[in-house]
């Protein structure tokens, strides 16, 4: 037996229940990991509240974590007992122990501990595919990143600056703006006290941005389109304020032959080779010091409900983790 956070029905944070669960035997190619830290992400909320459909009920939420390999199933290669590993995109992370395919586990390099890994895998690999694959950022580009003080935002700001971009962000308080300015941003707009569309136009002398990365959704659309230059790209990768309402696709033509995409990490890491390349790039920029991972909130795993309440109230900055 082990313990996990279990969801029996969709609802608010109160449906997250701490209880005993059975430890299942390992199958071929699987490993068992004793977790030390687990990432807290908005996607966990989406499954809990029904925004995304859970595969079954009851279920254990969570998509990323890190810990020590304590058991190997048949036909596992490349991973040994005692290895420190991290994973991303595997369901059931809110648990003391997890079973996962060895092919989805990433052995941590020297200089990256389990707490840092749990805080950065989903967010950092998201930043990697956004900045290096969805819209490859180059020197001279101007980018706008909403939720600049969030988990993805703080990583993406540093990484975009490292890639040579001019980086503009938005955040919801002066404190969050100040935090983002410490993490690579050239300018950060408090969207509660300023019109971010007008501010972007002023900052760029009317040239606007090459790309907008948006995890907010309803509250920032379609205004974000007005921050883009002709043939710029709008990248929607989350919806913390709610879903973007249906719209006439002709608006993209009207506002300058714009591009729009709704990618996901799992669309960019479907193969082992893609996963390793994405994670490897993240490990490299973190180990080099170009991107620093800031863990600003830590909650015991059994207090996952409190963690969700804080996250949904936009009371977090940087990364948050659950500890076992």
């Amino acid at each position: 037996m082990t313990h996990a956070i279990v969801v029996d029905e969709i609802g608010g944070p109160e449906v997250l229940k701490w209880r005993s669960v059975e430890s299942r035997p390992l199958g071929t190619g699987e490993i068992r990991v004793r977790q030390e830290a687990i990432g807290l992400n908005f996607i966990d909320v989406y499954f809990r509240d029904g925004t995304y459909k859970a595969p079954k009920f009851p279920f254990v939420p969570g998509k990323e974590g890190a810990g020590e390999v304590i058991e190997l199933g048949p036909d596992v290669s490349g991973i040994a007992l005692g290895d420190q590993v991290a994973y991303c995109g595997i369901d059931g992370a809110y648990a003391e122990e997890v079973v996962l395919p060895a092919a989805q586990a990433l052995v941590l390099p020297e200089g990256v501990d389990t707490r840092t890994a749990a805080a950065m895998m989903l967010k950092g690999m998201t930043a990697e595919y956004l900045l290096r694959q969805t819209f490859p950022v180059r020197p001279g580009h101007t980018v706008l990143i909403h939720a600049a003080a969030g988990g993805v935002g703080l990583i993406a700001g540093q990484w975009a600056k490292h890639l040579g971009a001019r980086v503009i962000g938005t955040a919801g308080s002066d404190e969050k703006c100040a935090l983002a300015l410490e993490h690579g941003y050239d300018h950060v707009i408090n969207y509660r006290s300023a019109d971010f569309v007008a501010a972007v136009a002023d900052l760029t002398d009317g040239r606007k941005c090459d790309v907008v990365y948006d995890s907010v959704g309803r509250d920032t659309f379609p205004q974000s389109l007005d921050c883009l230059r002709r043939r710029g790209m709008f990248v929607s990768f989350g919806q913390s304020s709610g879903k973007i309402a249906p719209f006439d696709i002709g608006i993209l033509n009207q506002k300058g032959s714009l591009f729009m995409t709704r990618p996901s990490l799992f669309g960019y890491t479907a193969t082992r080779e893609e996963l390793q390349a994405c994670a490897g790039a993240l490990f490299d920029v973190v180990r080099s010091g170009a991107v620093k991972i800031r863990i600003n909130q830590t909650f015991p795993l059994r207090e996952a409900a409190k963690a969700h309440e804080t996250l949904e109230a936009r009371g977090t900055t940087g990364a948050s983790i659950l500890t076992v």
Side-chain angles (χ1 to χ4, degrees):
M1 297 290 288
T2 186
H3 289 85
I5 295 291
V6 181
V7 176
D8 293 302
E9 59 183 351
I10 63 172
E14 70 280 356
V15 303
L16 298 168
K17 304 296 185 184
W18 175 252
R19 64 174 186 246
S20 298
V21 294
E22 292 287 342
S23 296
R24 73 170 178 84
L26 298 184
T28 300
E30 291 185 327
I31 61 174
R32 192 183 312 277
V33 176
R34 180 190 296 120
Q35 303 221 93
E36 297 174 8
I38 298 146
L40 177 69
N41 299 287
F42 240 101
I43 193 171
D44 307 340
V45 174
Y46 297 156
F47 279 104
R48 190 212 72 219
D49 69 11
T51 300
Y52 292 169
K53 186 177 180 180
K56 62 177 182 177
F57 286 95
F59 73 93
V60 176
K63 289 284 188 181
E64 67 176 338
E68 179 183 351
V69 177
I70 58 171
E71 187 179 355
L72 303 175
D75 299 328
V76 170
S77 61
I79 292 179
L81 290 174
D83 277 349
Q84 300 284 298
V85 299
Y87 63 90
C88 176
I90 302 295
D91 293 330
Y94 284 24
E96 293 177 318
E97 296 178 0
V98 293
V99 172
L100 66 146
Q104 294 294 310
L106 296 153
V107 177
L108 297 181
E110 185 177 349
V112 178
D113 61 29
T114 54
R115 289 168 63 94
T116 300
M120 77 178 190
M121 297 307 294
L122 186 60
K123 303 172 189 70
M125 291 170 70
T126 295
E128 192 281 335
Y129 84 76
L130 291 173
L131 297 170
R132 288 164 43 94
Q133 300 186 66
T134 304
F135 181 94
V137 172
R138 301 284 185 264
H141 281 153
T142 298
V143 307
L144 174 64
I145 304 172
H146 289 302
V152 174
L154 291 185
I155 295 173
Q158 296 174 80
W159 205 332
K161 192 64 179 176
H162 177 64
L163 291 170
R166 181 185 186 190
V167 192
I168 303 172
T170 69
S173 71
D174 290 342
E175 293 76 15
K176 289 184 176 182
C177 289
L179 177 61
L181 286 169
E182 297 172 2
H183 289 77
Y185 288 84
D186 296 291
H187 313 278
V188 186
I189 304 157
N190 184 338
Y191 65 82
R192 296 189 189 278
S193 59
D195 178 343
F196 72 81
V197 175
V200 166
D202 287 345
L203 289 169
T204 61
D205 294 324
R207 289 188 295 272
K208 305 183 183 180
C209 301
D210 298 278
V211 60
V212 174
Y213 296 109
D214 181 24
S215 63
V216 177
R218 183 176 58 205
D219 288 355
T220 50
F221 188 85
Q223 302 97 305
S224 290
L225 301 183
D226 292 321
C227 296
L228 287 166
R229 63 161 176 80
R230 184 168 53 93
R231 299 199 303 272
M233 179 178 285
F234 176 78
V235 182
S236 171
F237 67 100
Q239 51 198 44
S240 61
S241 69
K243 294 181 180 179
I244 292 175
F247 66 95
D248 181 352
I249 196 172
I251 193 174
L252 302 178
N253 174 33
Q254 296 163 13
K255 292 183 179 292
S257 296
L258 304 179
F259 295 87
M260 181 175 183
T261 184
R262 179 57 172 92
S264 72
L265 173 60
F266 314 115
Y268 283 83
T269 55
T271 69
R272 177 68 177 171
E273 293 73 23
E274 290 172 343
L275 177 66
Q276 289 180 311
C278 186
L282 173 62
F283 291 150
D284 286 346
V285 294
V286 171
R287 295 174 72 197
S288 75
V291 171
K292 295 178 173 60
I293 305 301
R294 184 162 179 165
I295 301 172
N296 287 346
Q297 296 81 211
T298 301
F299 304 88
L301 175 57
R302 65 175 64 234
E303 295 180 13
K306 180 181 178 182
H308 276 224
E309 289 174 359
T310 307
L311 183 65
E312 289 182 271
R314 301 192 186 186
T316 65
T317 58
S320 304
I321 59 171
L322 306 170
T323 56
V324 181

